Amino acid sequence: VLMHVCKRVQLRAAALAIGASASGGVLALSVPPSPRAASAPLFTFGIIADVQWADAEDGSNYDRTVVRHYRGAFRTLQRAVDWWRALPEPPSFIAQLGDIIDGVNVRL
């Protein structure tokens, strides 16, 4: 069952990551339980990465293909937290995978 769910999560996460990256929006992932699951999950979790906050004017990624709204990064993060809290069963925890502060801060 775990492998089945992991494969579904990987595929759905990859598709959503592409969409979120292209739109600059919040990536929110929700996977319905497997029909084979016999009981409620032991825990649920959310994942967020690359918040990229900086006290700087808007910029772009290194390839100049995506606009980074540095000062608006925490507002976007708050939208994700609000979304998770509004779920019928909020996640047990959130994993923050890095880059909460953008490298442009070294110049400040």
Side-chain angles (χ1 to χ4, degrees), residues 10 35 43 46 48 52 59-60 68 73 79 86 102:
Q10 287 173 339
F43 62 89
I48 194 156
Q52 304 290 1
S60 62
R68 289 186 177 165
R79 286 181 28 228
D102 192 270

Side-chain angles (χ1 to χ4, degrees), residues 5-6 8 21 28 30-31 41 43-44 47 50 58 66 68 73-76 79 81 85 93 100 106-107:
V5 171
C6 288
R8 288 179 35 197
S21 175
S30 176
V31 178
F43 62 89
T44 59
I47 297 174
D50 294 324
D58 292 348
V66 177
R68 289 186 177 165
F74 287 144
R75 284 189 302 272
T76 302
R79 286 181 28 228
V81 170
R85 286 182 173 163
F93 65 91
I100 198 161
V106 298
R107 295 191 302 253

